[in-house]
Amino acid sequence: EPEVTQTPSHQVTQMGQEVILRCVPISNHLYFYWYRQILGQKVEFLVSFYNNEISEKSEIFDDQFSVERPDGSNFTLKIRSTKLEDSAMYFCASSEEGAQPQHFGDGTRLSIL
Amino acid sequence: GNSVTQMEGPVTLSEEAFLTINCTYTATGYPSLFWYVQYPGEGLQLLLKATKADDKGSNKGFEATYRKETTSFHLEKGSVQVSDSAVYFCALSDRRGYQKVTFGTGTKLQVIP
């Protein structure tokens, strides 16, 4: 079964540094999403992306965050200047259509030191 | 806005016991409802879904019925196995817009032999 793949599985970064989390959505999917899960807390929506633009974003997704689909297969989340509170598991998801269930990757654990 | 409330965990059951994890929701529209499961060290997997009132989603012996009158979507399984040990997330997505998923806090299930 096709799946969403995320790399790396674990990223350790110094506070203030830029980090890019990478995702390869399922190939025929058109809608892309990022979520995060701070340890012990619920999974929170960050941003959705369709037709090469952000379609919706949460209040968490401030100017430090950006997303990009640089080619036909990758979908990236960039955090420009990381803070300690950015430490979390970040999940990428994709869906074939907006109304279809989202398929999630295994996540990238981001640790900010 | 949308929100999901599910029972606190952890839930510890003996193998072959009956499982119920309660979930209620608040939504401004007519949402689709989901249960996602997260096995240790893995990402979020869609377990089952229901898209309209009285629909029953089912998969791997798990069931949940969309109850619009009580705004509930309780997860049940008649006989749990050790391999069912995981964190279970109740979730919803709005049919409008780009269908971001709103998650509950998750319920950790531990099944002991």
Side-chain angles (χ1 to χ4, degrees), chain B:
Chain B
N2 297 338
S3 67
V4 176
T5 302
Q6 59 182 108
M7 61 189 286
E8 294 282 330
V11 173
T12 302
L13 295 173
S14 298
E15 206 164 20
E16 298 183 5
F18 184 85
L19 168 71
T20 300
I21 301 178
N22 290 334
C23 170
T24 57
Y25 67 89
T26 303
T28 51
Y30 190 163
S32 297
L33 303 177
F34 310 94
W35 278 97
Y36 281 86
V37 59
Q38 186 177 30
Y39 297 102
E42 298 185 18
L44 295 162
Q45 299 177 24
L46 178 66
L47 180 60
L48 52 85
K49 67 172 182 175
T51 57
K52 60 183 189 294
D54 300 324
D55 264 3
K56 179 185 283 188
S58 61
N59 186 25
K60 299 181 182 180
F62 290 90
E63 293 182 342
T65 302
Y66 192 141
R67 300 288 188 202
K68 197 165 188 289
E69 64 278 10
T70 55
T71 62
S72 64
F73 192 55
H74 305 321
L75 182 69
E76 297 182 336
K77 186 175 185 182
S79 175
V80 294
Q81 306 300 311
V82 171
S83 57
D84 294 326
S85 298
V87 181
Y88 292 82
F89 293 90
C90 186
L92 66 82
S93 71
D94 201 321
R95 295 167 191 277
R96 301 165 300 176
Y98 296 94
Q99 280 92 30
K100 68 178 181 183
V101 179
T102 300
F103 287 88
T105 52
T107 302
K108 184 175 182 179
L109 170 67
Q110 184 177 13
V111 181
I112 53 177

